[in-house]
């Protein structure tokens, strides 16, 4: 689909990748950008329509779908993360919190807006996933599990929404320079670069965007003799 003249809703649009999406959408000629955030006052980008939207609250998702009935593209970007492994004392509570936003939030938004997209000609659904959809080294264990679940959801939605001609794109990337990994001493890609590659892929009709080299290497390694999701030799 094309961005010019599109009407787009971005979840988690008050900072990081979400804010970068909103800014780039405006630059590419989107007719309207709804910037969803738990606190609409935290949306500071000029030119967008701030929208109260906590994807963990069904009533706010329903209200957003009723208000933004002109949407032709939904970008499910809102997400939470927390470092730690599955053997940590709080891992069950952490996993539930990750899944509530990163999986159930995407599911809620997709169900609520599927009829809206259909009514407006099909449009598109872009889900922000991660390299950890495929590999889980334990540093962000619950976050990775939630992104694996969201990847599976994205693949199912691609089939379920095909009949209404809704393009479904999964965006995968490694470390991005956002608050989530501020304390990780690793190479990071800028949110702006990730967003440009994602929207280029969307406009080209892609189903999946591997937005950086580490992600491309991991995806290619899934079928290696020793797959990339297993511990690798030092």
């Amino acid at each position: 689909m094309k961005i010019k003249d599109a009407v787009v809703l971005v979840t988690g649009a008050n900072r990081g990748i979400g804010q970068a999406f909103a800014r780039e959408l405006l630059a590419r000629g989107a007719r309207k950008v709804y910037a969803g955030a738990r606190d609409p006052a935290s949306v500071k980008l000029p030119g967008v329509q701030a929208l109260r939207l906590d994807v963990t609250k069904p009533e706010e998702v329903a209200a957003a779908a009723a208000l933004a009935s002109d949407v032709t593209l939904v970008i499910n970007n809102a997400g939470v993360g927390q470092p730690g492994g599955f053997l940590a004392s709080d891992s069950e509570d952490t996993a539930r919190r990750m899944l509530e936003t990163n999986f159930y939030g995407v599911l809620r938004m997709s169900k609520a807006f599927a009829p809206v997209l259909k009514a407006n000609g099909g449009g598109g659904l872009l889900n922000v996933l991660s390299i950890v959809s495929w590999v889980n080294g334990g540093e962000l264990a619950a976050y990775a599990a939630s992104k694996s679940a969201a990847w599976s959801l994205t693949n199912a939605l691609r089939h379920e929404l095909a009949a209404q001609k809704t393009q479904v794109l999964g965006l995968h990337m490694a470390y991005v320079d956002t608050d989530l990994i501020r304390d990780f001493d690793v190479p990071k890609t800028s949110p702006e670069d990730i967003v440009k590659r994602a929207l280029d892929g969307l406009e080209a009709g892609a189903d999946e965007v591997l937005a950086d080299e580490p992600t491309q290497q991991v995806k290619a390694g899934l079928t290696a003799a020793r797959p990339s999701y297993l511990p690798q030799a030092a």
Side-chain angles (χ1 to χ4, degrees):
M1 67 171 294
K2 297 302 179 185
I3 301 304
K4 184 173 173 54
D5 295 324
V7 178
V8 191
L9 188 152
V10 184
T11 66
N14 57 324
R15 61 180 182 173
I17 296 173
Q19 186 179 73
F21 263 119
R23 184 180 292 109
E24 183 65 16
L25 288 162
L26 291 174
R28 294 192 185 206
R31 179 160 54 88
K32 184 189 298 183
V33 177
Y34 293 100
R38 291 178 177 178
D39 176 10
S42 66
V43 176
K44 305 297 185 182
L45 181 65
V48 301
Q49 182 171 330
L51 180 68
R52 182 177 300 280
L53 180 55
D54 181 341
V55 299
T56 70
K57 296 182 177 179
E59 67 277 12
E60 291 192 9
V61 172
L67 178 82
S69 59
D70 51 350
V71 160
T72 59
L73 172 62
V74 173
I75 298 180
N76 283 312
N77 164 77
V80 294
Q82 179 177 317
F86 280 129
L87 299 184
S89 61
D90 62 347
S91 63
E92 291 183 36
D93 289 340
T94 299
R96 287 189 184 94
R97 187 166 64 89
M98 298 299 105
L99 285 164
E100 186 59 41
T101 298
N102 301 345
F103 174 75
Y104 288 109
V106 176
L107 176 57
R108 256 181 227 108
M109 287 291 297
S110 301
K111 288 175 67 177
F113 277 90
V116 174
L117 294 173
K118 181 179 181 180
N120 294 326
L125 185 69
L126 193 163
N127 292 342
V128 177
L129 304 173
S130 173
I131 192 174
V132 298
S133 302
W134 305 311
V135 291
N136 191 343
E139 300 90 349
L140 293 159
Y143 174 79
S146 71
K147 289 297 186 178
S148 293
W151 177 50
S152 183
L153 169 62
T154 301
N155 293 335
L157 290 171
R158 194 174 290 117
H159 292 280
E160 293 191 51
L161 295 174
Q164 68 176 50
K165 301 187 184 307
T166 297
Q167 179 184 354
V168 178
L169 186 149
L171 170 62
H172 298 264
M173 65 279 185
Y175 293 113
V176 183
D177 192 9
T178 63
D179 292 344
L180 174 61
I181 60 161
R182 177 186 298 151
D183 298 328
F184 284 61
D185 185 18
V186 294
K188 303 169 187 176
T189 306
S190 73
E192 291 75 19
D193 285 346
I194 295 296
V195 162
K196 288 175 182 177
R197 292 164 192 166
L199 295 180
D200 286 348
L202 183 76
E203 293 200 290
D207 298 310
E208 188 171 76
V209 169
L210 312 181
D212 52 34
E213 186 175 348
T215 303
Q216 295 163 16
Q217 292 174 344
V218 162
K219 180 68 182 298
L222 292 177
T223 57
R226 186 167 183 80
S228 50
Y229 54 81
L230 295 179
Q232 302 299 303

